[in-house]
Amino acid sequence: MKNIFFILLSFFSVLSLNSCREDGEWGNENGGQFGFSIERDKDFIEKGVGEENQLKFNIKPSYDFASIATTFKFTTSLNGTLKLNGETLVANKEYTFTTKDNIFEYIGNVAGTHDLKISVKNEKGASKEEEFSLPYAISEFSHTNVGGSGPIYQGVETVYVMKIVPGSGQPTTGYQIKFNTYDGQVKLNGVAATLGTWYNIVNIDNFTTSLQTNVAGGGKLNYSIKNNTITKDYEIQQNILARTITIESMNYSPTDIAINTQMAFSGIINQSPVNPNTNIQYKTWISSASNSNVNGIQNTNNTYTNYTIGSNGGFLMNVNALVAGTYVYNIQVKDEFGNQSEVKTFEIKVTAPIYFDTGVTQEGHVSFSIPSPAGGWRVYQQNFSRKFKLIAGGSATITAVKYELNYDITTSTSSVHVTRNYDENVAPGATTFEKNNDIWQTTGDQVAFLSGANLGISNLTMKITGTASTGDTVSVTISPTASTN
């Protein structure tokens, strides 16, 4: 009995350990369902006491970051101040990240190596700890800058107010600044500066550096400041937010479009944040065509072309419909920074001004009367019937419908070719015209009087012609059946 107890105890202990191991590892690995990694800066140059270090701290989750809360707290080995988004943080207090991409700001208040530890975890239990070693020393001068605390967008100039504080007994003149690398435009005190060039700093208590870039993502300015005895390197990190451009609304008219007519696309283009530059680009293309003709409606063949939108984002584009067919027509716009909108797609049917509905069978029948010969064969056309449907495309109407009957009547000794023409009465403004084996009476129409034997009727055709208000015509020739009595 005792052995059984120990066996069961061992079994449940192993089961419990395995269960805990599985629970503890769930989502904690970088590649796990709720794992994440940290993209960060590694190496830091020595700063003077009171100077700021900027620490890139980007979270790379394997899940939708916004759906799971992620928090952090920090400790530091020496006296210093840590900020995020302009807020001064308190050590060992838990805070919640609002974005994936972050730039911490640390200022060391005493000399020495500041060991800063930032611990991160999400509500699914995944966690990371990152340690930063930030050397600080008493310097011949210290340097600070203030600015860039709000959102920074492509193309927007951000101004940083800078200051140099000389060490005790150090000179207050003879300072210079050089901008080493930046993917964009740099200004010193509002004047464009050239990278790699030293500039005199006239007022070390208050001077400005302005940055502007068209490149979204992590931006960085590397610069140097020197006096007669020492040169120190600095950097400003930026998180440049991409602008957005959207097709807020877009429609085309007329919706019932015929070939060789113009159609207009009109809508609103929205740029966020508001951009005073109204010069954009647009492109159009056909991605599908029932007739395989990707030029059936005028388009730019997927190539961007310049356009200036109206003051309220108004957009108007006129194109010509050239070939009948059903098309998938696409429009996309792009701003000056290369940001593209989503594609706006339309299914557009282009029709001829007048055409036969192919969904309706086209057929006809002609009836003849051939009395017993008395001195010769008399042939009478009694009636004919027809089945078809005509449709006017676009803004056109149907103005006329005509029939032409042709056939040969032959005997052993004679022959004659017969042509008969008939005009329909079409109601004004008609956009469709349909006949469903309707009979047109022609009783008493003698079409032949022939001598000989073996009378026959052959080569019977019916040509149906429709005319549109545009002057366009469409015709079809069918082979009707025939009957005699």
Side-chain angles (χ1 to χ4, degrees):
M1 188 69 177
K2 186 181 294 184
N3 290 337
I4 293 174
F5 172 77
F6 282 115
I7 291 172
L8 289 174
L9 181 61
S10 299
F11 170 77
F12 284 113
S13 298
V14 171
L15 180 63
S16 176
L17 285 172
N18 286 339
S19 176
C20 290
R21 183 178 298 115
E22 290 174 0
D23 290 343
E25 291 178 354
W26 181 62
N28 278 293
E29 297 301 321
N30 289 351
Q33 183 180 3
F34 299 107
F36 60 87
S37 60
I38 303 295
E39 180 184 65
R40 50 156 290 181
D41 293 317
K42 297 293 184 182
D43 301 316
F44 299 90
I45 59 176
E46 184 178 272
K47 292 291 180 73
V49 171
E51 292 182 336
E52 178 185 282
N53 269 297
Q54 293 187 330
L55 318 175
K56 180 170 70 175
F57 202 90
N58 297 339
I59 302 170
K60 303 297 180 182
S62 56
Y63 53 88
D64 179 13
F65 180 79
S67 66
I68 298 174
T70 303
T71 60
F72 72 93
K73 60 183 178 179
F74 80 95
T75 61
T76 180
S77 62
L78 297 176
N79 184 277
T81 302
L82 184 67
K83 292 183 179 182
L84 180 62
N85 299 325
E87 179 185 0
T88 300
L89 307 176
V90 178
N92 289 308
K93 180 179 177 180
E94 191 169 76
Y95 297 89
T96 299
F97 281 112
T98 58
T99 61
K100 292 186 295 183
D101 297 337
N102 301 276
I103 298 174
F104 285 102
E105 299 166 352
Y106 185 84
I107 297 175
N109 297 325
V110 296
T113 299
H114 293 237
D115 294 322
L116 171 67
K117 295 180 181 179
I118 301 177
S119 301
V120 183
K121 69 177 182 179
N122 63 30
E123 60 184 0
K124 292 296 184 179
S127 61
K128 293 282 182 184
E129 182 177 82
E130 298 292 333
E131 183 172 345
F132 299 82
S133 294
L134 308 174
Y136 277 86
I138 301 299
S139 176
E140 291 192 355
F141 67 85
S142 62
H143 166 59
T144 59
N145 67 74
V146 178
S149 57
I152 303 174
Y153 286 92
Q154 292 169 295
V156 175
E157 185 176 88
T158 304
V159 179
Y160 297 85
V161 179
M162 297 185 163
K163 182 177 183 179
I164 297 172
V165 178
S168 178
Q170 297 299 313
T172 59
T173 60
Y175 289 87
Q176 292 183 307
I177 187 170
K178 178 179 69 171
F179 304 106
N180 301 313
T181 58
Y182 184 69
D183 191 0
Q185 184 184 66
V186 183
K187 293 180 181 178
L188 176 62
N189 292 324
V191 179
T194 302
L195 297 182
T197 300
W198 286 103
Y199 293 92
N200 293 326
I201 302 174
V202 177
N203 180 4
I204 64 172
D205 290 325
N206 190 325
F207 61 101
T208 62
T209 295
S210 305
L211 304 179
Q212 181 177 333
T213 179
N214 294 341
V215 181
K220 183 187 291 187
L221 167 71
N222 289 302
Y223 63 105
S224 303
I225 294 177
K226 71 176 182 178
N227 59 18
N228 292 330
T229 59
I230 188 173
T231 300
K232 298 175 68 175
D233 296 323
Y234 299 92
E235 65 183 31
I236 294 176
Q237 296 202 44
Q238 295 179 304
N239 181 25
I240 310 299
L241 302 177
R243 291 174 170 270
T244 60
I245 181 169
T246 56
I247 301 175
E248 193 167 290
S249 64
M250 188 69 68
N251 296 289
Y252 68 91
S253 63
T255 54
D256 187 6
I257 186 73
I259 60 173
N260 299 320
T261 56
Q262 190 177 81
M263 56 190 305
F265 288 87
S266 60
I268 300 295
I269 307 301
N270 182 55
Q271 297 188 85
S272 181
V274 174
N275 190 347
N277 183 5
T278 56
N279 294 319
I280 66 165
Q281 292 184 309
Y282 77 91
K283 64 178 179 179
T284 56
W285 70 99
I286 292 173
S287 56
S288 175
S290 61
N291 55 15
S292 300
N293 186 344
V294 295
N295 293 304
I297 303 174
Q298 283 183 329
N299 63 89
T300 70
N301 290 313
N302 211 13
T303 300
Y304 275 110
T305 186
N306 295 329
Y307 186 86
T308 300
I309 58 177
S311 57
N312 295 316
F315 179 90
L316 177 63
M317 175 186 69
N318 295 314
V319 297
N320 291 321
L322 305 174
V323 182
T326 300
Y327 304 93
V328 176
Y329 197 86
N330 305 281
I331 299 177
Q332 190 173 28
V333 295
K334 180 174 71 171
D335 67 15
E336 63 191 284
F337 308 105
N339 302 308
Q340 299 184 111
S341 71
E342 292 185 352
V343 178
K344 188 74 171 177
T345 299
F346 306 87
E347 183 174 275
I348 302 173
K349 184 177 182 181
V350 178
T351 60
I354 186 169
Y355 59 96
F356 285 95
D357 184 348
T358 57
V360 175
T361 303
Q362 297 158 0
E363 60 186 24
H365 181 82
V366 183
S367 297
F368 296 92
S369 175
I370 307 174
S372 298
W377 296 95
R378 295 182 185 274
V379 180
Y380 297 90
Q381 180 182 295
Q382 296 291 85
N383 58 63
F384 66 91
S385 64
R386 64 279 191 215
K387 181 180 180 181
F388 65 92
K389 184 177 182 180
L390 274 170
I391 300 175
S395 59
T397 60
I398 300 171
T399 58
V401 179
K402 299 178 180 293
Y403 309 103
E404 182 182 293
L405 292 177
N406 283 278
Y407 47 89
D408 295 318
I409 303 174
T410 60
T411 65
S412 57
T413 58
S414 303
S415 66
V416 64
H417 179 78
V418 179
T419 298
R420 289 290 187 269
N421 294 287
Y422 306 92
D423 293 340
E424 288 277 10
N425 290 319
V426 181
T431 56
T432 62
F433 189 90
E434 184 174 12
K435 292 297 179 180
N436 188 15
N437 290 313
D438 300 54
I439 294 176
W440 188 306
Q441 295 290 349
T442 60
T443 304
D445 183 7
Q446 181 177 310
V447 294
F449 179 69
L450 299 174
S451 61
N454 301 321
L455 184 139
I457 300 174
S458 61
N459 302 322
L460 177 58
T461 62
M462 179 189 295
K463 182 179 180 181
I464 307 170
T465 301
T467 303
S469 56
T470 59
D472 295 273
T473 62
V474 63
S475 297
V476 64
T477 300
I478 61 176
S479 298
T481 56
S483 63
T484 59
N485 57 45

